[in-house]
Amino acid sequence: MNFVRIKSYAKINLSLDVSDAHDGYHEIDSVVTTIDVADVIAVKKRKDKLVGITMHGMGSESMPYLSNNAVKAAEAFIAAYSTAGADITIWKNIPMGAGLGGSSADAAGVLNALAKLYDVDDIAGIKRIADALGSDTGYMLTGGYARISGRGERVQPIDCNLKLDIALLVPRTGVSTAECYNLWDSVGERTAHSDEVMRALFEGDREMLGKALSNGLYMPAKALNADVGRAYEALAAFAPLGVNMTGSGSAVYAIFENDMFARYARSRYSGQMQFIQTKTCLPPKEM
């Protein structure tokens, strides 16, 4: 096998409870799930140990090589397993800087693709590499419904097949994750809604879930980027089951009763933000 192509999916936070910082890091308790918005990642073997990368879409073409998490993932994999290098091509569909986990999805996708390309069967080892790359990268290796905690490295998969119809609004500008967490210390909410979200998922109750959606970073994100609040208000105007921001923003999503209501919201939205209609999905197991 000399070539592998896979999809790596975006995520949304159904809850995001933040704790006070310790040793410079805030701990989280979050229920997450993947949605049917994915980057396509292709990897091809090289004869040397170098990593080449080509990015397409979402403004990713200008991303610096050394700060690209996909490159870091490939280099860490090659170092850990003494494989040859790879040429990587990524077609971006996940909006960047929106709290949808696009950078982590690319890193996790590269790790999954390289493991398949070089026939490496070491789930624990690859998870350690992923955790070192970013707070939710380890989760993104498998996706699906999960509860993540600590700095995001503790992943508890949730056996849930609840399908959610989702409308997503993506402002033109993002929110700095570091600035958002720093501002949370003074204006953020001390939420504790992850247990409520878990209960709604176990009961398969969309209405309960809509009411339980929560993100402790919403207020600081809105203070940093007013479009976060505008996106929230625009989606709330369609009377969905619930509205929430994902990650540290700037994307905001709404959960609807069914596909018809989500399509109606899409047809009636007249703003300038990117509107994505999507659903939750269970990615094929790469690891």
Side-chain angles (χ1 to χ4, degrees):
M1 183 185 298
N2 291 308
F3 178 85
V4 169
R5 186 196 303 261
I6 66 169
K7 287 184 176 181
S8 196
Y9 291 82
K11 60 82 183 171
I12 56 171
N13 298 78
L14 301 173
S15 65
L16 180 51
D17 302 324
V18 182
S19 300
D20 292 328
H22 296 285
D23 299 323
Y25 290 93
H26 293 84
E27 294 205 342
I28 64 168
D29 181 12
S30 178
V31 180
V32 292
T33 187
T34 36
I35 57 175
D36 194 16
V37 178
D39 290 348
V40 178
I41 299 171
V43 296
K44 183 179 180 181
K45 284 182 179 177
R46 293 177 63 115
K47 294 181 179 179
D48 55 31
K49 286 185 169 289
L50 300 179
V51 175
I53 189 162
T54 305
M55 306 288 293
H56 301 280
M58 297 288 172
S60 61
E61 294 85 354
S62 60
M63 186 182 300
Y65 178 90
L66 292 178
S67 61
N68 192 321
N69 257 13
V71 172
K72 294 177 183 178
E75 291 176 341
F77 181 95
I78 292 163
Y81 298 106
S82 300
T83 67
D87 285 318
I88 303 166
T89 305
I90 299 178
W91 291 267
K92 291 290 297 177
N93 296 297
I94 303 173
M96 298 168 62
L100 295 165
S103 176
S104 296
D106 291 345
V110 165
L111 291 175
N112 279 328
L114 289 175
K116 184 178 291 188
L117 184 71
Y118 285 110
D119 195 25
V120 173
D121 184 13
D122 181 16
I123 294 174
I126 292 174
K127 172 72 162 52
R128 283 193 294 272
I129 295 173
D131 287 337
L133 292 167
S135 61
D136 54 6
T137 309
Y139 156 72
M140 300 294 260
L141 288 170
T142 51
Y145 283 100
R147 187 170 186 170
I148 61 176
S149 56
R151 297 176 187 173
E153 79 283 359
R154 296 198 292 271
V155 181
Q156 174 193 346
I158 301 169
D159 185 13
C160 177
N161 295 316
L162 185 66
K163 294 291 191 292
L164 301 175
D165 290 289
I166 294 166
L168 186 70
L169 276 183
V170 184
R172 293 180 177 181
T173 55
V175 175
S176 164
T177 298
E179 289 181 19
C180 192
Y181 273 97
N182 287 338
L183 189 57
W184 178 89
D185 291 326
S186 56
V187 303
E189 294 182 79
R190 271 62 176 170
T191 57
H193 294 287
S194 292
D195 284 341
E196 297 171 45
V197 169
M198 292 284 286
R199 186 158 50 249
L201 292 179
F202 286 137
E203 295 185 16
D205 191 325
R206 291 176 177 82
E207 284 194 31
M208 183 190 299
L209 177 62
K211 293 175 182 176
L213 297 176
S214 173
N215 189 326
L217 294 175
Y218 174 69
M219 292 304 292
K222 185 171 72 167
L224 291 167
N225 185 344
D227 279 344
V228 171
R230 296 187 185 104
Y232 192 104
E233 291 168 6
L235 287 175
F238 293 108
L241 296 175
V243 184
N244 198 22
M245 183 183 77
T246 181
S248 58
S250 58
V252 176
Y253 67 90
I255 294 175
F256 288 89
E257 291 95 327
N258 53 45
D259 176 75
M260 181 182 70
F261 286 112
R263 281 191 284 113
Y264 174 79
R266 182 175 187 174
S267 70
R268 302 299 293 176
Y269 176 69
S270 58
Q272 300 301 309
M273 299 182 201
Q274 182 182 7
F275 190 110
I276 300 172
Q277 183 187 346
T278 185
K279 299 175 181 287
T280 52
C281 69
L282 296 177
K285 294 190 181 299
E286 302 292 349
M287 291 291 292

